[in-house]
Amino acid sequence: MAKKIEDMAKFAKFCKDMGFIYQSSEIYGGINGFWDYGPLGVELKRNIKEAWWQDMVRNPPPGPDGQEIRMVGLDCAIIMNPKVWVASGHVGGFSDPMVDCLKCKRRFRADKVHFACATVDNVPHAVSVEADNATDAEPLLKDKIAKLDKKKHPAGRALKSAPQLEFHAATALPAPWPRPCPADDCDGTLTEPRSFNLMFESHAGPIASDENKVYLRPETAQGIFANYRNVLDSSRLKLPFGIAQVGKAFRNEINPRNFTFRSREFEQMEIEFFCHPAESRKWYEYWRELRKNWYSTLGIKSDNLVPREQGQEELAHYSVGTTDIEYMFPFSDEPQELEGVAHRGAFDLTAHAKHSGKDLSYFDEEGWNNLLQSRLTPFKDDKNRQPDEIKLREDEKKKLELEEKPKFQFVPHVIEPSAGADRFTLAVLCEAYTEEDVPDAKGKTEKRTVMKFHPRLAPVKAAIFPLVNRDGMDEAARALYRELKAHFNVVYDQSGAIGRRYRRQDEAGTPFCITIDGDTIKDGTVTIRDRDTLKQERIPKGEVRARIEALLRPEV
Ligand code: ATP
């Protein structure tokens, strides 16, 4: 029976030992929330970003009515004019209310700290726990009260005897209640909730003044909105169309955790798809389906993927709908967000038009010309026309221009599929990791760790081994290696027993191992071993490249 990840610390160590992910600046003790990708990790993450670009930008599948989808890319600067972040709402609103413990100095998100309170003998008592929501908090609070009662803690005893408890989150705890710290090892008191801006600040220029203040972008999306007019004017695109960007984003997360899942520096893969407001629901549904299915085409099992439509109360005020595509990471009992697909209405372009003073509306020229043509058809339009006939046509045209033309000018609606490259890389690593029993060369059972990556994402596509380093085998192996490396990331490995070489490649997730032996020299065939089935086949050397290529073709 194959085993998946049970211990995240052990898994993180495996990722480090294999060269997938290292802690940033580890030799200096690391830095919380920052990660580096090693030789295998960088290939994996590049393959993920390239697969996304290929499948979403260069070759997206047909739209809901079978039409071609028009997509283009952008690569914007990380630092933008700070007015962008005022318009987007990040300067005013991109902050989580936080509470700090005055004693242990820990900092918590205010919406994740929950209190149980009651007044007993005229004394207000409270205890607190950390939990995602009120439902999860209640049993934890009751448990904590019982435990404190056993320790003869005044709050525990009082609250246990209270006829009724009140429950509040720290964001809305009324004044008379005390605010104990939720940490089990601390009896300190929390501050009132305070806003904490998640944007990293810097200064552009030699003087660190307020006028020079700039921000590291907390998302790539705003670069797309700020360039919407440029793209429209320079590319002659017509609605509907999408603009995509892959790039770094920075958030000063309060509590970076769960390996790379919540980092302070990460990469996003974002699309802003602009469409007519009347068609926006159709496009929202299209992107929701497409994005969820994309993960399955890259080997994520559908049981581990959960699309979750946000409830009305969670939706941003401008949004018609948002679906979070969530993945069952091994570090949590609840699925966690990989990507959000949001219907953002006209919110972003309207905000940027207002703040920049630029017209970001769209004129549907084709629609307007079609209407004009159809409505003017009944009116005579040839050179034998009488003056009254000319006037009739002109009057109708003026009327249409006055009454109908403005309807063709509008602010497009936007559908935003926003994915995290690092979160997906982590999901791919978790999904691929397998410990299993396999027969060795002598038929005895042995354990192996194998990364069952989808071939498109596998960091190394094939490993080439000479069986021994003589009798022409090493030269033949090198020649094949040289031929293949012009097309794929392949490695050459000549050291150690062949079984050991296989295991090394299994741990790296290499789909094929190709061995050059005595028969290769005689008849030009090689053995090709499949990582997952362990089957070995003899094929002509000349067919190896086509074999690998066939596996790398995107699913359609
Ligand atoms: P969360 O609720 O997990 O903080 P979010 O809803 O704030 O995420 P978005 O602003 O929608 O995230 O960003 C889009 C995507 O960017 C997320 O789905 C995720 O994949 C990625 N992302 C966001 N914050 C982080 C982070 N701190 N570390 C790694 N990836 C992130």
Side-chain angles (χ1 to χ4, degrees):
M1 180 64 190
K3 232 172 72 185
K4 304 298 283 184
I5 300 162
E6 281 164 7
D7 177 347
M8 275 311 277
K10 182 177 152 202
F11 176 62
K13 178 163 184 321
F14 168 81
C15 288
K16 178 186 162 188
D17 292 346
M18 288 304 298
F20 285 112
I21 299 175
Y22 313 129
Q23 199 184 10
S24 164
S25 10
E26 197 191 308
I27 57 166
Y28 291 103
I31 170 166
N32 197 6
F34 297 89
W35 299 93
D36 297 339
Y37 288 83
L40 287 180
V42 70
E43 293 290 339
L44 174 65
K45 196 168 150 192
R46 277 180 81 109
N47 291 343
I48 284 175
K49 291 186 285 182
E50 271 160 26
W52 184 88
W53 196 266
Q54 173 63 22
D55 299 350
M56 298 298 123
V57 185
R58 297 214 169 120
N59 186 27
D65 306 317
Q67 68 273 55
E68 285 302 324
I69 307 271
R70 285 166 291 215
M71 296 288 298
V72 293
L74 263 187
D75 186 9
C76 306
I78 284 170
I79 292 180
M80 303 174 72
N81 187 316
K83 286 180 190 157
V84 167
W85 307 111
V86 177
S88 68
H90 285 85
V91 166
F94 191 55
S95 54
D96 286 328
M98 305 301 298
V99 286
D100 292 304
C101 176
L102 296 169
K103 187 169 181 185
C104 68
K105 307 292 178 209
R106 288 185 183 100
R107 176 170 274 175
F108 306 91
R109 263 174 64 168
D111 60 335
K112 306 278 181 201
V113 177
H114 296 261
F115 295 88
C117 321
T119 303
V120 180
D121 299 332
N122 288 327
V123 182
H125 291 282
V127 294
S128 71
V129 292
E130 267 194 289
D132 272 348
N133 52 51
T135 323
D136 290 355
E138 216 177 294
L140 295 175
L141 282 163
K142 289 184 176 153
D143 190 45
K144 184 156 184 178
I145 291 169
K147 282 187 186 136
L148 287 179
D149 181 33
K150 279 203 193 102
K151 288 190 199 159
K152 307 212 181 312
H153 190 281
R157 290 175 75 176
L159 290 167
K160 196 155 176 216
S161 67
Q164 212 175 347
L165 294 171
E166 277 185 38
F167 296 100
H168 299 282
T171 38
L173 185 70
W177 302 116
R179 306 175 157 270
C181 175
D184 284 336
D185 57 356
C186 177
D187 59 358
T189 301
L190 300 176
T191 61
E192 292 277 320
R194 298 186 284 213
S195 276
F196 177 86
N197 198 301
L198 295 184
M199 279 198 293
F200 279 97
E201 292 178 6
S202 187
H203 294 92
I207 302 165
S209 66
D210 264 3
E211 292 96 79
N212 288 346
K213 186 152 63 169
V214 290
Y215 302 97
L216 303 192
R217 69 180 175 201
E219 59 174 40
T220 60
Q222 297 305 323
I224 300 182
F225 293 124
N227 275 299
Y228 161 79
R229 185 90 256 162
N230 281 341
V231 173
L232 202 57
D233 293 347
S234 57
S235 59
R236 301 172 60 231
L237 280 166
K238 303 239 175 336
L239 283 190
F241 67 88
I243 307 180
Q245 172 158 227
V246 177
K248 289 272 189 183
F250 303 81
R251 294 185 190 174
N252 197 359
E253 297 279 1
I254 311 305
N255 189 7
R257 63 185 177 283
N258 293 330
F259 205 5
T260 58
F261 179 83
R262 189 169 298 288
S263 309
R264 289 181 167 142
E265 175 176 344
F266 53 95
E267 252 179 303
Q268 291 186 310
M269 308 186 289
E270 294 199 295
I271 294 169
E272 305 302 329
F273 193 79
F274 300 92
C275 60
H276 192 287
E279 293 192 333
S280 59
R281 184 167 280 280
K282 177 170 89 177
W283 285 109
Y284 168 57
E285 283 159 14
Y286 166 82
W287 280 105
R288 197 177 52 184
E289 270 318 285
L290 175 59
R291 290 304 306 145
K292 179 184 158 280
N293 294 341
W294 185 72
Y295 291 103
S296 310
T297 66
L298 292 170
I300 301 288
K301 279 189 221 71
S302 47
D303 310 0
N304 287 340
L305 261 187
V306 197
R308 189 181 67 88
E309 186 88 28
Q310 284 189 4
Q312 283 301 317
E313 72 291 350
E314 286 177 89
L315 287 179
H317 58 92
Y318 48 76
S319 184
V320 172
T322 292
T323 301
D324 287 343
I325 300 171
E326 300 185 330
Y327 177 73
M328 210 55 225
F329 283 96
F331 54 74
S332 166
D333 296 335
E334 300 274 318
Q336 303 288 327
E337 178 178 328
L338 273 185
E339 167 163 356
V341 181
H343 182 302
R344 297 183 60 88
F347 176 77
D348 306 275
L349 288 180
T350 309
H352 284 297
K354 187 168 148 236
H355 283 80
S356 66
K358 299 284 186 300
D359 179 10
L360 299 181
S361 66
Y362 178 86
F363 180 61
D364 177 6
E365 186 121 27
E366 206 179 309
W368 163 241
N369 283 337
N370 288 344
L371 180 98
L372 207 57
Q373 209 176 19
S374 72
R375 296 283 279 271
L376 294 181
T377 308
F379 297 90
K380 213 170 157 192
D381 190 24
D382 57 38
K383 52 183 186 315
N384 305 324
R385 289 181 300 173
Q386 297 304 309
D388 58 330
E389 285 171 323
I390 294 177
K391 184 167 181 323
L392 265 180
R393 194 173 188 279
E394 283 307 306
D395 285 352
E396 177 65 8
K397 195 171 168 198
K398 274 193 197 127
K399 188 169 148 241
L400 286 172
E401 271 173 356
L402 203 69
E403 289 172 9
E404 299 295 329
K405 196 171 177 184
K407 295 184 193 161
F408 289 86
Q409 186 94 36
F410 55 88
V411 178
H413 276 197
V414 168
I415 313 302
E416 179 187 77
S418 169
D422 304 83
R423 280 203 190 162
F424 185 39
T425 304
L426 183 60
V428 167
L429 283 164
C430 293
E431 186 85 12
Y433 184 89
T434 313
E435 288 172 20
E436 61 186 14
D437 293 333
V438 288
D440 68 6
K442 294 184 188 116
K444 276 211 326 236
T445 301
E446 66 171 0
K447 293 217 176 299
R448 74 161 179 169
T449 300
V450 51
M451 296 301 278
K452 295 194 173 178
F453 293 125
H454 187 282
R456 276 183 87 191
L457 304 184
V460 179
K461 306 304 180 195
I464 294 100
F465 308 151
L467 184 63
V468 288
N469 291 314
R470 57 181 146 77
D471 305 334
M473 289 179 223
D474 44 352
E475 279 116 68
R478 274 196 193 283
L480 182 63
Y481 166 67
R482 230 168 272 133
E483 182 200 325
L484 294 177
K485 90 181 166 101
H487 307 279
F488 322 104
N489 190 34
V490 291
V491 296
Y492 182 81
D493 187 1
Q494 58 178 17
S495 59
I498 209 87
R500 299 252 330 255
R501 285 186 251 174
Y502 283 152
R503 293 293 168 265
R504 269 204 291 270
Q505 294 307 321
D506 287 347
E507 286 182 338
T510 307
F512 289 130
C513 290
I514 296 146
T515 308
I516 311 299
D517 54 18
D519 287 348
T520 314
I521 311 300
K522 282 190 232 137
D523 62 10
T525 61
V526 297
T527 59
I528 180 161
R529 171 202 184 251
D530 182 290
R531 177 194 68 198
D532 299 338
T533 63
L534 303 173
K535 280 214 188 90
Q536 301 196 21
E537 229 186 300
R538 274 210 95 81
I539 62 167
K541 205 165 47 175
E543 282 177 20
V544 172
R545 182 174 154 197
R547 253 321 156 90
I548 302 173
E549 254 158 11
L551 267 188
L552 302 183
R553 252 170 243 137
E555 272 179 36
V556 280

